[in-house]
Amino acid sequence: MDQPAISDYGFLSDCRSGALVGRDGSIDWWCPDRFDAPSVFGRILGPQAGHWLLAPVAAGRAGHRVERSYRPDTLVLRTVHHTPEGSVAVTDALAAELGARGHELGRNSPAVLLRVVEGLSGRVPMVLDFCPRPDYGLLTPYLHDQPDGGVLAACGSVTLTLRGDGLPLRAGRDRVRHEFAVSAGDVVGFDLAYGPAYGDPPARLDPAVALAETVQAWEAYRESHHYPGEYADLVRHSATVLTGLTYTRSGAVAAALTTSLPEELGGNRNYDYRLSWLRDFAMTLRAFWVAACPYEASRLFAWVARSIGQVGQMPVPVMFGLAGERDLSEHELAHLPGYAGSRPVVVGNDAWRQRQLDVPGEVILAIWQLGDYLGTSFDKELREMVLGLAEQVATTWHLPDRGMWEAREEERHYLSSKVLCWAAMDKAVALAPRLGESADPRRWAAVRDEIRATVLREGWNDRVGAYTASFGSAELGGSALYLPVVRFLPATDPRMRATIEAVERELGTPDGLVRRWADEPAAFLLCSFWLVECLVMAGERERARRLFERVVEHANDVGLLSEQIDPRDGAQLGNTPQALSHVGLINAAWRLTAPTAE
């Protein structure tokens, strides 16, 4: 593969959008307007889609070594390059608004990339290669020298202004290339500001001042969060990553920063995850609560009630755009070859059209889990949402659907979907006192019991000796590990215990991770963390702990997890950073912390 590994990338965020910066010093992904907007740097999906390199001239050659770390509790990334000529640090960040602190982060983001170079020893030759390509590489901008020594790039709907401290940059035909050297003690800052073509001009920030402000904004965000459990550093960092995937203006959480990074190299299972799923909402909500982030939890509730709107006869939407958009129709970017030649590259996600019956249950379960926080009575919007979701489950649970993994073949009666329908009815009964006179707990309880009996009867396969992925199927599925997590069955139940063992045996990889399906080539990190939880609840805490520590070893050098892991070489696969992988880490760490199995 002639491009960086997925794990080579670090994540920057201003809670409006995010960027990926490689170990080689190249920013290969940035969609500056918001997470799901068109990119101006997209080289991770094709060499023609733009990048911004800032690194030693000797980068990648013999004698070059890289060390990276985040400033604690931030997404400000410091990369130290050790070269034969000396050492230099490059600190990268997406700027916070000046004066922003804590929960204000991202509300009025200036959309400015900051890069500050600091000489540590010797005298290191550096190179800057600025090659913007807006609209996923479809456009090549005009470049114009500016009186202050900067360069303006303008094309289509995008305006970018690049400036360097005391360095007169000069526009080439389609890029800016500049070489300079830094000695010990030298500091050179760069800022790249985005603005719409026909709006206000891009912001102008002092890189060193803006960087210090950004660090303080992130640190203030985490000062009020005090996670009391084990693996505190991992949990706090995963919570920071989830915060970085949050679009502050609405409260929505993007499932991942990227689109179309493949589940299998050269394969076609490539999807746009820069959108917000209701299922992810529910799981992320619990993770934020575990990680002691109550403000984030309340913001997610506000987003979900407004996004869903009034629940009627149509299937509950499974996903939305970050500002609540409903139509997320998928289209291919045919001009891009994809990561490691993995086509198609897509924008949008046609799963928005699917029926996924587990989604109402995920939402109601999350509301029940945080019921004490929400008070003894719900406001009108929340009350009507729960009532609408419960009634829809009561009338549709018996239908087939596409399941939680969003299968694109025919609908089936997926085990996990039915179990979450049971959870919806079970928790709706528990919430009935807060739902007013329209609540129907007696009917809901009857439906709940019918669903449970159906799952126990139809979900078990005597020949396989396990609960299988769908009714009437002999195929095992990693989603069966979710049953104890949502308390449908205890992990110690004989049939559930047999299912856990069968999933470990048939879907496990050599290092103990879990795939979703037998024919899936890569392990799925969320399912692997579910196995950790199941083992704790089955009374095998030490084995669970060992597995947890093996799974988290697959994080990259700055603690980021993608969607999947290639069992052949441990390489990360899929979109990155993946929210649900970090959610799984947080919840598994908390399960290991709990004094007794739940």
mmCIF file of all heavy atoms in Angstrom, residues 6-15 17-22 29 35 68 70 74-77 92-94 218 237-246 254 256-258 556 558-561 576-578 582:
data_model
loop_
_atom_site.group_PDB
_atom_site.id
_atom_site.type_symbol
_atom_site.label_atom_id
_atom_site.label_comp_id
_atom_site.label_asym_id
_atom_site.label_seq_id
_atom_site.Cartn_x
_atom_site.Cartn_y
_atom_site.Cartn_z
ATOM 1 N N ILE A 6 -4.238 3.703 8.108
ATOM 2 C CA ILE A 6 -5.295 4.447 8.782
ATOM 3 C C ILE A 6 -4.855 4.846 10.188
ATOM 4 O O ILE A 6 -5.144 5.954 10.661
ATOM 5 C CB ILE A 6 -6.592 3.616 8.803
ATOM 6 C CG1 ILE A 6 -7.159 3.499 7.381
ATOM 7 C CG2 ILE A 6 -7.635 4.219 9.743
ATOM 8 C CD1 ILE A 6 -8.322 2.541 7.239
ATOM 9 N N SER A 7 -4.099 3.967 10.839
ATOM 10 C CA SER A 7 -3.637 4.251 12.200
ATOM 11 C C SER A 7 -2.544 5.315 12.242
ATOM 12 O O SER A 7 -2.152 5.750 13.330
ATOM 13 C CB SER A 7 -3.128 2.970 12.862
ATOM 14 O OG SER A 7 -2.077 2.408 12.109
ATOM 15 N N ASP A 8 -2.029 5.739 11.097
ATOM 16 C CA ASP A 8 -1.009 6.789 11.072
ATOM 17 C C ASP A 8 -1.591 8.180 11.310
ATOM 18 O O ASP A 8 -0.834 9.136 11.485
ATOM 19 C CB ASP A 8 -0.284 6.799 9.716
ATOM 20 C CG ASP A 8 0.806 5.748 9.630
ATOM 21 O OD1 ASP A 8 1.106 5.116 10.650
ATOM 22 O OD2 ASP A 8 1.353 5.560 8.527
ATOM 23 N N TYR A 9 -2.910 8.286 11.328
ATOM 24 C CA TYR A 9 -3.519 9.612 11.389
ATOM 25 C C TYR A 9 -3.923 9.999 12.809
ATOM 26 O O TYR A 9 -4.442 9.192 13.573
ATOM 27 C CB TYR A 9 -4.748 9.677 10.477
ATOM 28 C CG TYR A 9 -4.372 9.701 9.014
ATOM 29 C CD1 TYR A 9 -4.415 8.551 8.242
ATOM 30 C CD2 TYR A 9 -3.935 10.882 8.417
ATOM 31 C CE1 TYR A 9 -4.048 8.573 6.902
ATOM 32 C CE2 TYR A 9 -3.565 10.917 7.075
ATOM 33 C CZ TYR A 9 -3.626 9.762 6.325
ATOM 34 O OH TYR A 9 -3.246 9.787 5.007
ATOM 35 N N GLY A 10 -3.654 11.271 13.135
ATOM 36 C CA GLY A 10 -4.169 11.887 14.343
ATOM 37 C C GLY A 10 -5.390 12.725 14.012
ATOM 38 O O GLY A 10 -5.597 13.143 12.864
ATOM 39 N N PHE A 11 -6.191 12.999 15.012
ATOM 40 C CA PHE A 11 -7.505 13.643 14.871
ATOM 41 C C PHE A 11 -7.458 15.029 15.501
ATOM 42 O O PHE A 11 -7.077 15.180 16.666
ATOM 43 C CB PHE A 11 -8.550 12.761 15.559
ATOM 44 C CG PHE A 11 -9.927 13.340 15.710
ATOM 45 C CD1 PHE A 11 -10.529 14.047 14.675
ATOM 46 C CD2 PHE A 11 -10.642 13.146 16.885
ATOM 47 C CE1 PHE A 11 -11.812 14.557 14.817
ATOM 48 C CE2 PHE A 11 -11.924 13.642 17.039
ATOM 49 C CZ PHE A 11 -12.513 14.354 16.007
ATOM 50 N N LEU A 12 -7.836 16.034 14.726
ATOM 51 C CA LEU A 12 -8.010 17.396 15.229
ATOM 52 C C LEU A 12 -9.482 17.760 15.126
ATOM 53 O O LEU A 12 -10.176 17.320 14.201
ATOM 54 C CB LEU A 12 -7.200 18.396 14.393
ATOM 55 C CG LEU A 12 -5.738 18.059 14.091
ATOM 56 C CD1 LEU A 12 -5.128 19.134 13.199
ATOM 57 C CD2 LEU A 12 -4.931 17.895 15.368
ATOM 58 N N SER A 13 -9.983 18.570 16.056
ATOM 59 C CA SER A 13 -11.390 18.960 16.021
ATOM 60 C C SER A 13 -11.575 20.326 16.654
ATOM 61 O O SER A 13 -10.863 20.696 17.595
ATOM 62 C CB SER A 13 -12.260 17.936 16.765
ATOM 63 O OG SER A 13 -13.602 18.393 16.852
ATOM 64 N N ASP A 14 -12.550 21.061 16.125
ATOM 65 C CA ASP A 14 -13.013 22.285 16.773
ATOM 66 C C ASP A 14 -14.501 22.173 17.109
ATOM 67 O O ASP A 14 -15.164 23.171 17.379
ATOM 68 C CB ASP A 14 -12.755 23.513 15.898
ATOM 69 C CG ASP A 14 -13.406 23.415 14.522
ATOM 70 O OD1 ASP A 14 -14.152 22.442 14.277
ATOM 71 O OD2 ASP A 14 -13.169 24.305 13.683
ATOM 72 N N CYS A 15 -15.030 20.949 17.097
ATOM 73 C CA CYS A 15 -16.443 20.665 17.370
ATOM 74 C C CYS A 15 -17.370 21.325 16.341
ATOM 75 O O CYS A 15 -18.556 21.515 16.583
ATOM 76 C CB CYS A 15 -16.838 21.066 18.794
ATOM 77 S SG CYS A 15 -15.956 20.130 20.059
ATOM 78 N N SER A 17 -15.900 20.809 12.811
ATOM 79 C CA SER A 17 -15.369 19.884 11.829
ATOM 80 C C SER A 17 -14.115 19.253 12.410
ATOM 81 O O SER A 17 -13.770 19.487 13.571
ATOM 82 C CB SER A 17 -15.061 20.607 10.523
ATOM 83 O OG SER A 17 -14.632 19.687 9.539
ATOM 84 N N GLY A 18 -13.453 18.443 11.589
ATOM 85 C CA GLY A 18 -12.259 17.762 12.057
ATOM 86 C C GLY A 18 -11.286 17.559 10.912
ATOM 87 O O GLY A 18 -11.652 17.637 9.731
ATOM 88 N N ALA A 19 -10.049 17.289 11.267
ATOM 89 C CA ALA A 19 -8.997 17.058 10.282
ATOM 90 C C ALA A 19 -8.194 15.841 10.696
ATOM 91 O O ALA A 19 -8.125 15.493 11.879
ATOM 92 C CB ALA A 19 -8.095 18.284 10.168
ATOM 93 N N LEU A 20 -7.572 15.201 9.704
ATOM 94 C CA LEU A 20 -6.659 14.088 9.942
ATOM 95 C C LEU A 20 -5.263 14.505 9.508
ATOM 96 O O LEU A 20 -5.067 14.957 8.373
ATOM 97 C CB LEU A 20 -7.079 12.845 9.151
ATOM 98 C CG LEU A 20 -8.355 12.138 9.577
ATOM 99 C CD1 LEU A 20 -8.617 10.943 8.661
ATOM 100 C CD2 LEU A 20 -8.293 11.687 11.033
ATOM 101 N N VAL A 21 -4.302 14.347 10.433
ATOM 102 C CA VAL A 21 -2.913 14.674 10.130
ATOM 103 C C VAL A 21 -2.066 13.432 10.317
ATOM 104 O O VAL A 21 -2.150 12.744 11.336
ATOM 105 C CB VAL A 21 -2.412 15.841 11.011
ATOM 106 C CG1 VAL A 21 -2.610 15.575 12.486
ATOM 107 C CG2 VAL A 21 -0.954 16.159 10.711
ATOM 108 N N GLY A 22 -1.275 13.093 9.310
ATOM 109 C CA GLY A 22 -0.481 11.872 9.334
ATOM 110 C C GLY A 22 0.813 12.030 10.101
ATOM 111 O O GLY A 22 1.274 13.139 10.396
ATOM 112 N N TRP A 29 -7.090 15.246 5.334
ATOM 113 C CA TRP A 29 -8.559 15.301 5.387
ATOM 114 C C TRP A 29 -8.977 16.524 6.178
ATOM 115 O O TRP A 29 -8.526 16.728 7.311
ATOM 116 C CB TRP A 29 -9.136 14.047 6.036
ATOM 117 C CG TRP A 29 -10.641 13.969 6.025
ATOM 118 C CD1 TRP A 29 -11.497 14.126 7.071
ATOM 119 C CD2 TRP A 29 -11.479 13.727 4.887
ATOM 120 N NE1 TRP A 29 -12.797 14.001 6.667
ATOM 121 C CE2 TRP A 29 -12.815 13.754 5.319
ATOM 122 C CE3 TRP A 29 -11.213 13.493 3.539
ATOM 123 C CZ2 TRP A 29 -13.886 13.548 4.460
ATOM 124 C CZ3 TRP A 29 -12.284 13.288 2.672
ATOM 125 C CH2 TRP A 29 -13.605 13.313 3.135
ATOM 126 N N PHE A 35 -18.502 18.768 9.641
ATOM 127 C CA PHE A 35 -17.979 17.412 9.458
ATOM 128 C C PHE A 35 -18.386 16.788 8.128
ATOM 129 O O PHE A 35 -17.588 16.092 7.496
ATOM 130 C CB PHE A 35 -18.469 16.495 10.587
ATOM 131 C CG PHE A 35 -17.911 16.812 11.940
ATOM 132 C CD1 PHE A 35 -18.682 17.454 12.892
ATOM 133 C CD2 PHE A 35 -16.612 16.455 12.271
ATOM 134 C CE1 PHE A 35 -18.175 17.737 14.143
ATOM 135 C CE2 PHE A 35 -16.096 16.730 13.518
ATOM 136 C CZ PHE A 35 -16.881 17.381 14.470
ATOM 137 N N ARG A 68 4.581 11.197 18.886
ATOM 138 C CA ARG A 68 3.376 12.041 18.897
ATOM 139 C C ARG A 68 2.647 11.897 20.219
ATOM 140 O O ARG A 68 2.660 10.832 20.851
ATOM 141 C CB ARG A 68 2.411 11.642 17.782
ATOM 142 C CG ARG A 68 2.965 11.765 16.390
ATOM 143 C CD ARG A 68 1.877 11.588 15.354
ATOM 144 N NE ARG A 68 1.231 10.273 15.407
ATOM 145 C CZ ARG A 68 0.242 9.900 14.617
ATOM 146 N NH1 ARG A 68 -0.256 10.736 13.734
ATOM 147 N NH2 ARG A 68 -0.278 8.689 14.689
ATOM 148 N N TYR A 70 -1.020 13.889 22.388
ATOM 149 C CA TYR A 70 -1.950 14.997 22.585
ATOM 150 C C TYR A 70 -1.591 15.736 23.872
ATOM 151 O O TYR A 70 -1.135 15.120 24.852
ATOM 152 C CB TYR A 70 -3.388 14.482 22.714
ATOM 153 C CG TYR A 70 -4.029 14.097 21.406
ATOM 154 C CD1 TYR A 70 -4.325 12.773 21.118
ATOM 155 C CD2 TYR A 70 -4.372 15.063 20.464
ATOM 156 C CE1 TYR A 70 -4.923 12.411 19.927
ATOM 157 C CE2 TYR A 70 -4.977 14.718 19.274
ATOM 158 C CZ TYR A 70 -5.254 13.382 19.002
ATOM 159 O OH TYR A 70 -5.854 13.040 17.816
ATOM 160 N N THR A 74 -7.046 17.188 25.558
ATOM 161 C CA THR A 74 -7.297 18.044 24.402
ATOM 162 C C THR A 74 -7.177 17.221 23.128
ATOM 163 O O THR A 74 -6.739 16.074 23.146
ATOM 164 C CB THR A 74 -6.284 19.207 24.305
ATOM 165 O OG1 THR A 74 -5.049 18.722 23.752
ATOM 166 C CG2 THR A 74 -6.005 19.851 25.656
ATOM 167 N N LEU A 75 -7.546 17.853 22.023
ATOM 168 C CA LEU A 75 -7.248 17.307 20.694
ATOM 169 C C LEU A 75 -6.251 18.219 19.985
ATOM 170 O O LEU A 75 -6.354 18.483 18.788
ATOM 171 C CB LEU A 75 -8.534 17.127 19.887
ATOM 172 C CG LEU A 75 -9.453 16.016 20.410
ATOM 173 C CD1 LEU A 75 -10.736 15.935 19.600
ATOM 174 C CD2 LEU A 75 -8.758 14.665 20.437
ATOM 175 N N VAL A 76 -5.293 18.699 20.746
ATOM 176 C CA VAL A 76 -4.158 19.468 20.237
ATOM 177 C C VAL A 76 -2.980 18.501 20.152
ATOM 178 O O VAL A 76 -2.538 17.958 21.168
ATOM 179 C CB VAL A 76 -3.837 20.663 21.144
ATOM 180 C CG1 VAL A 76 -2.581 21.389 20.662
ATOM 181 C CG2 VAL A 76 -5.028 21.616 21.203
ATOM 182 N N LEU A 77 -2.491 18.257 18.955
ATOM 183 C CA LEU A 77 -1.536 17.182 18.684
ATOM 184 C C LEU A 77 -0.124 17.741 18.502
ATOM 185 O O LEU A 77 0.092 18.647 17.693
ATOM 186 C CB LEU A 77 -1.963 16.429 17.426
ATOM 187 C CG LEU A 77 -1.105 15.230 17.015
ATOM 188 C CD1 LEU A 77 -1.192 14.119 18.052
ATOM 189 C CD2 LEU A 77 -1.552 14.706 15.646
ATOM 190 N N ASP A 92 -0.301 20.863 16.076
ATOM 191 C CA ASP A 92 -1.440 21.078 15.175
ATOM 192 C C ASP A 92 -2.731 21.161 15.973
ATOM 193 O O ASP A 92 -2.935 20.402 16.936
ATOM 194 C CB ASP A 92 -1.562 19.930 14.182
ATOM 195 C CG ASP A 92 -0.384 19.841 13.222
ATOM 196 O OD1 ASP A 92 0.045 20.896 12.727
ATOM 197 O OD2 ASP A 92 0.111 18.723 12.983
ATOM 198 N N ALA A 93 -3.625 22.048 15.549
ATOM 199 C CA ALA A 93 -4.929 22.167 16.207
ATOM 200 C C ALA A 93 -5.900 22.855 15.260
ATOM 201 O O ALA A 93 -5.502 23.602 14.354
ATOM 202 C CB ALA A 93 -4.817 22.967 17.503
ATOM 203 N N LEU A 94 -7.186 22.592 15.483
ATOM 204 C CA LEU A 94 -8.237 23.424 14.913
ATOM 205 C C LEU A 94 -8.623 24.428 15.989
ATOM 206 O O LEU A 94 -8.949 24.059 17.119
ATOM 207 C CB LEU A 94 -9.434 22.576 14.489
ATOM 208 C CG LEU A 94 -9.296 21.938 13.108
ATOM 209 C CD1 LEU A 94 -10.309 20.819 12.915
ATOM 210 C CD2 LEU A 94 -9.464 22.990 12.015
ATOM 211 N N TRP A 218 -10.023 23.453 25.649
ATOM 212 C CA TRP A 218 -10.186 22.015 25.855
ATOM 213 C C TRP A 218 -9.986 21.646 27.325
ATOM 214 O O TRP A 218 -10.745 20.832 27.876
ATOM 215 C CB TRP A 218 -9.194 21.244 24.990
ATOM 216 C CG TRP A 218 -9.637 21.060 23.572
ATOM 217 C CD1 TRP A 218 -9.203 21.742 22.482
ATOM 218 C CD2 TRP A 218 -10.631 20.146 23.097
ATOM 219 N NE1 TRP A 218 -9.853 21.311 21.354
ATOM 220 C CE2 TRP A 218 -10.725 20.326 21.696
ATOM 221 C CE3 TRP A 218 -11.436 19.199 23.712
ATOM 222 C CZ2 TRP A 218 -11.611 19.585 20.908
ATOM 223 C CZ3 TRP A 218 -12.316 18.443 22.925
ATOM 224 C CH2 TRP A 218 -12.396 18.642 21.545
ATOM 225 N N HIS A 237 -9.816 10.069 27.630
ATOM 226 C CA HIS A 237 -9.411 10.347 26.257
ATOM 227 C C HIS A 237 -10.517 9.964 25.275
ATOM 228 O O HIS A 237 -10.801 10.713 24.328
ATOM 229 C CB HIS A 237 -8.126 9.599 25.919
ATOM 230 C CG HIS A 237 -7.624 9.870 24.533
ATOM 231 N ND1 HIS A 237 -7.337 11.140 24.069
ATOM 232 C CD2 HIS A 237 -7.373 9.032 23.488
ATOM 233 C CE1 HIS A 237 -6.926 11.076 22.819
ATOM 234 N NE2 HIS A 237 -6.950 9.810 22.429
ATOM 235 N N SER A 238 -11.164 8.814 25.495
ATOM 236 C CA SER A 238 -12.263 8.429 24.605
ATOM 237 C C SER A 238 -13.409 9.429 24.694
ATOM 238 O O SER A 238 -14.047 9.746 23.676
ATOM 239 C CB SER A 238 -12.746 7.020 24.954
ATOM 240 O OG SER A 238 -11.827 6.041 24.486
ATOM 241 N N ALA A 239 -13.685 9.948 25.892
ATOM 242 C CA ALA A 239 -14.719 10.981 26.024
ATOM 243 C C ALA A 239 -14.324 12.241 25.272
ATOM 244 O O ALA A 239 -15.171 12.925 24.671
ATOM 245 C CB ALA A 239 -14.967 11.292 27.499
ATOM 246 N N THR A 240 -13.039 12.571 25.276
ATOM 247 C CA THR A 240 -12.562 13.728 24.521
ATOM 248 C C THR A 240 -12.748 13.504 23.025
ATOM 249 O O THR A 240 -13.158 14.412 22.285
ATOM 250 C CB THR A 240 -11.087 14.011 24.843
ATOM 251 O OG1 THR A 240 -10.955 14.285 26.246
ATOM 252 C CG2 THR A 240 -10.557 15.200 24.055
ATOM 253 N N VAL A 241 -12.462 12.285 22.554
ATOM 254 C CA VAL A 241 -12.677 11.968 21.139
ATOM 255 C C VAL A 241 -14.162 12.104 20.782
ATOM 256 O O VAL A 241 -14.505 12.686 19.742
ATOM 257 C CB VAL A 241 -12.160 10.550 20.819
ATOM 258 C CG1 VAL A 241 -12.557 10.140 19.400
ATOM 259 C CG2 VAL A 241 -10.640 10.496 20.973
ATOM 260 N N LEU A 242 -15.049 11.585 21.629
ATOM 261 C CA LEU A 242 -16.482 11.712 21.370
ATOM 262 C C LEU A 242 -16.909 13.173 21.360
ATOM 263 O O LEU A 242 -17.740 13.585 20.543
ATOM 264 C CB LEU A 242 -17.280 10.941 22.422
ATOM 265 C CG LEU A 242 -17.148 9.419 22.382
ATOM 266 C CD1 LEU A 242 -17.928 8.795 23.541
ATOM 267 C CD2 LEU A 242 -17.637 8.853 21.055
ATOM 268 N N THR A 243 -16.351 13.964 22.266
ATOM 269 C CA THR A 243 -16.635 15.398 22.248
ATOM 270 C C THR A 243 -16.160 16.013 20.944
ATOM 271 O O THR A 243 -16.842 16.854 20.346
ATOM 272 C CB THR A 243 -15.946 16.087 23.436
ATOM 273 O OG1 THR A 243 -16.428 15.524 24.662
ATOM 274 C CG2 THR A 243 -16.209 17.584 23.432
ATOM 275 N N GLY A 244 -14.989 15.585 20.466
ATOM 276 C CA GLY A 244 -14.462 16.100 19.206
ATOM 277 C C GLY A 244 -15.304 15.735 18.002
ATOM 278 O O GLY A 244 -15.241 16.411 16.974
ATOM 279 N N LEU A 245 -16.100 14.663 18.106
ATOM 280 C CA LEU A 245 -17.002 14.270 17.024
ATOM 281 C C LEU A 245 -18.381 14.914 17.150
ATOM 282 O O LEU A 245 -19.264 14.646 16.340
ATOM 283 C CB LEU A 245 -17.155 12.741 17.009
ATOM 284 C CG LEU A 245 -15.920 11.963 16.550
ATOM 285 C CD1 LEU A 245 -16.109 10.468 16.817
ATOM 286 C CD2 LEU A 245 -15.616 12.213 15.075
ATOM 287 N N THR A 246 -18.552 15.757 18.156
ATOM 288 C CA THR A 246 -19.830 16.418 18.394
ATOM 289 C C THR A 246 -19.915 17.723 17.623
ATOM 290 O O THR A 246 -19.014 18.566 17.705
ATOM 291 C CB THR A 246 -20.017 16.699 19.893
ATOM 292 O OG1 THR A 246 -19.960 15.466 20.619
ATOM 293 C CG2 THR A 246 -21.359 17.367 20.160
ATOM 294 N N ALA A 254 -21.281 12.868 15.227
ATOM 295 C CA ALA A 254 -20.975 12.144 13.996
ATOM 296 C C ALA A 254 -20.473 10.749 14.339
ATOM 297 O O ALA A 254 -19.694 10.570 15.280
ATOM 298 C CB ALA A 254 -19.930 12.894 13.186
ATOM 299 N N ALA A 256 -18.386 9.002 12.735
ATOM 300 C CA ALA A 256 -16.935 9.014 12.501
ATOM 301 C C ALA A 256 -16.611 10.289 11.748
ATOM 302 O O ALA A 256 -17.505 10.997 11.256
ATOM 303 C CB ALA A 256 -16.471 7.788 11.722
ATOM 304 N N LEU A 257 -15.329 10.584 11.648
ATOM 305 C CA LEU A 257 -14.906 11.798 10.957
ATOM 306 C C LEU A 257 -14.942 11.638 9.450
ATOM 307 O O LEU A 257 -15.070 12.627 8.725
ATOM 308 C CB LEU A 257 -13.480 12.149 11.403
ATOM 309 C CG LEU A 257 -12.844 13.371 10.746
ATOM 310 C CD1 LEU A 257 -13.597 14.642 11.125
ATOM 311 C CD2 LEU A 257 -11.377 13.482 11.117
ATOM 312 N N THR A 258 -14.839 10.415 8.947
ATOM 313 C CA THR A 258 -14.524 10.182 7.541
ATOM 314 C C THR A 258 -15.641 9.477 6.784
ATOM 315 O O THR A 258 -16.583 8.932 7.363
ATOM 316 C CB THR A 258 -13.255 9.330 7.432
ATOM 317 O OG1 THR A 258 -13.435 8.134 8.194
ATOM 318 C CG2 THR A 258 -12.050 10.081 7.967
ATOM 319 N N ASN A 556 -4.154 3.406 18.110
ATOM 320 C CA ASN A 556 -2.882 3.876 17.559
ATOM 321 C C ASN A 556 -2.068 4.599 18.632
ATOM 322 O O ASN A 556 -2.449 4.623 19.811
ATOM 323 C CB ASN A 556 -3.109 4.733 16.303
ATOM 324 C CG ASN A 556 -3.677 6.113 16.607
ATOM 325 O OD1 ASN A 556 -3.980 6.458 17.739
ATOM 326 N ND2 ASN A 556 -3.832 6.916 15.562
ATOM 327 N N VAL A 558 -1.716 7.549 19.451
ATOM 328 C CA VAL A 558 -2.352 8.652 20.165
ATOM 329 C C VAL A 558 -3.765 8.272 20.621
ATOM 330 O O VAL A 558 -4.620 9.120 20.829
ATOM 331 C CB VAL A 558 -2.363 9.938 19.318
ATOM 332 C CG1 VAL A 558 -0.954 10.498 19.212
ATOM 333 C CG2 VAL A 558 -2.958 9.718 17.933
ATOM 334 N N GLY A 559 -4.002 6.953 20.787
ATOM 335 C CA GLY A 559 -5.213 6.476 21.440
ATOM 336 C C GLY A 559 -6.470 6.494 20.611
ATOM 337 O O GLY A 559 -7.578 6.479 21.171
ATOM 338 N N LEU A 560 -6.366 6.477 19.286
ATOM 339 C CA LEU A 560 -7.548 6.516 18.426
ATOM 340 C C LEU A 560 -7.889 5.125 17.915
ATOM 341 O O LEU A 560 -7.000 4.342 17.561
ATOM 342 C CB LEU A 560 -7.310 7.447 17.237
ATOM 343 C CG LEU A 560 -6.991 8.900 17.569
ATOM 344 C CD1 LEU A 560 -6.735 9.688 16.294
ATOM 345 C CD2 LEU A 560 -8.116 9.543 18.380
ATOM 346 N N LEU A 561 -9.190 4.851 17.841
ATOM 347 C CA LEU A 561 -9.699 3.582 17.344
ATOM 348 C C LEU A 561 -10.559 3.820 16.110
ATOM 349 O O LEU A 561 -11.411 4.711 16.095
ATOM 350 C CB LEU A 561 -10.548 2.884 18.410
ATOM 351 C CG LEU A 561 -9.812 2.394 19.660
ATOM 352 C CD1 LEU A 561 -10.809 2.040 20.755
ATOM 353 C CD2 LEU A 561 -8.934 1.193 19.335
ATOM 354 N N THR A 576 -12.598 6.444 10.673
ATOM 355 C CA THR A 576 -11.841 6.764 11.878
ATOM 356 C C THR A 576 -11.889 8.253 12.179
ATOM 357 O O THR A 576 -12.034 9.054 11.241
ATOM 358 C CB THR A 576 -10.378 6.302 11.711
ATOM 359 O OG1 THR A 576 -9.704 6.315 12.958
ATOM 360 C CG2 THR A 576 -9.606 7.220 10.753
ATOM 361 N N PRO A 577 -11.768 8.647 13.463
ATOM 362 C CA PRO A 577 -11.990 7.787 14.617
ATOM 363 C C PRO A 577 -13.465 7.425 14.704
ATOM 364 O O PRO A 577 -14.325 8.224 14.371
ATOM 365 C CB PRO A 577 -11.550 8.666 15.798
ATOM 366 C CG PRO A 577 -11.708 10.062 15.320
ATOM 367 C CD PRO A 577 -11.437 10.041 13.850
ATOM 368 N N GLN A 578 -13.736 6.228 15.142
ATOM 369 C CA GLN A 578 -15.087 5.670 15.148
ATOM 370 C C GLN A 578 -15.711 5.874 16.526
ATOM 371 O O GLN A 578 -15.197 5.388 17.525
ATOM 372 C CB GLN A 578 -15.029 4.180 14.818
ATOM 373 C CG GLN A 578 -16.363 3.480 14.817
ATOM 374 C CD GLN A 578 -17.142 3.703 13.533
ATOM 375 O OE1 GLN A 578 -16.628 4.290 12.599
ATOM 376 N NE2 GLN A 578 -18.360 3.226 13.483
ATOM 377 N N HIS A 582 -15.031 3.943 20.608
ATOM 378 C CA HIS A 582 -14.700 4.635 21.850
ATOM 379 C C HIS A 582 -15.825 4.526 22.878
ATOM 380 O O HIS A 582 -15.574 4.450 24.084
ATOM 381 C CB HIS A 582 -14.348 6.084 21.554
ATOM 382 C CG HIS A 582 -13.017 6.225 20.868
ATOM 383 N ND1 HIS A 582 -11.829 6.254 21.563
ATOM 384 C CD2 HIS A 582 -12.687 6.295 19.558
ATOM 385 C CE1 HIS A 582 -10.823 6.356 20.713
ATOM 386 N NE2 HIS A 582 -11.319 6.375 19.484
#
